[in-house]
Amino acid sequence: MILKRKNMKLIHEIFDEIADTKSVKEKQQILMDNERPQFKSVLKHMFDKDIKYKIKNIPEYRFCDDPDGLSNTQLEKQMFLVERLHDVDGNNLSEERATQILLNILEIIPKKEAKVLEKLITKKLKVSGLTERLVRETFPSVLPEVAVS
């Protein structure tokens, strides 16, 4: 069954809107207009330098050819699984199993969302005008406090 979304922008759509906006205040408003726990999780994964993943390389996968917004799922709905891929004490998930979970996610979300996830995992996700400072100012509790030396 294909689900239609209800006025909820996909992650890459929000990022595109931010990149196309000049004013910091407008960028901040875009973030606030899209405030959802899963979107905040994406922002956390994007800027929290302490988050590491068990995956060494992005596996080869088949792109999902569902049109944007008409897929069974999307990146935001899969963020709970992405969090399972963290390389932290107590997570005994093997690299092989973590890679399989990532592969499953990549193959069921739309292509543009999969590209965002690839860059998120490899810590190469950059969005013009979306900075750690902007995220900290907009959502102070999303990122851990930074130690001042």
Side-chain angles (χ1 to χ4, degrees):
M1 171 168 64
I2 293 181
L3 304 175
K4 280 195 169 186
R5 60 190 162 130
K6 301 171 188 151
N7 283 338
M8 190 169 79
K9 292 180 184 170
L10 298 173
I11 300 295
H12 76 272
E13 292 172 328
I14 299 168
F15 288 165
D16 289 347
E17 187 177 353
I18 289 170
D20 292 341
T21 302
K22 298 288 183 216
S23 159
V24 172
K25 288 288 182 201
E26 288 177 26
K27 291 175 191 293
Q28 196 168 35
Q29 189 60 52
I30 292 166
L31 290 174
M32 289 187 292
D33 289 346
N34 292 283
E35 182 178 1
R36 311 182 284 274
Q38 301 89 342
F39 177 58
K40 288 166 124 178
S41 177
V42 172
L43 295 173
K44 179 176 177 59
H45 282 80
M46 189 174 175
F47 291 108
D48 188 338
K49 292 163 188 60
D50 292 333
I51 295 177
K52 308 280 188 265
Y53 299 95
K54 289 188 170 268
I55 290 97
K56 303 293 183 239
N57 297 303
I58 301 297
E60 286 190 34
Y61 64 97
R62 289 173 304 177
F63 290 111
C64 173
D65 58 3
D66 291 346
D68 281 350
L70 297 176
S71 178
N72 286 327
T73 192
Q74 58 206 28
L75 176 56
E76 273 189 80
K77 292 181 180 178
Q78 299 302 313
M79 283 308 293
F80 76 99
L81 286 174
V82 173
E83 291 172 6
R84 293 212 46 230
L85 306 177
H86 291 183
D87 191 4
V88 295
D89 288 340
N91 184 355
N92 59 1
L93 194 67
S94 69
E95 181 184 343
E96 181 180 309
R97 182 67 183 126
T99 301
Q100 185 60 48
I101 290 170
L102 177 61
L103 178 66
N104 291 343
I105 298 169
L106 290 168
E107 290 188 344
I108 64 171
I109 61 177
K111 182 178 182 178
K112 289 180 182 176
E113 297 276 279
K115 287 297 189 185
V116 168
L117 180 56
E118 279 185 45
K119 291 177 182 175
L120 194 68
I121 295 287
T122 59
K123 295 292 191 177
K124 294 180 181 175
L125 181 57
K126 306 281 186 246
V127 177
S128 178
L130 181 58
T131 63
E132 181 178 341
R133 180 179 178 180
L134 179 64
V135 171
R136 285 185 183 283
E137 289 175 359
T138 309
F139 305 124
S141 64
V142 167
L143 297 171
E145 290 186 28
V146 286
V148 180
S149 44

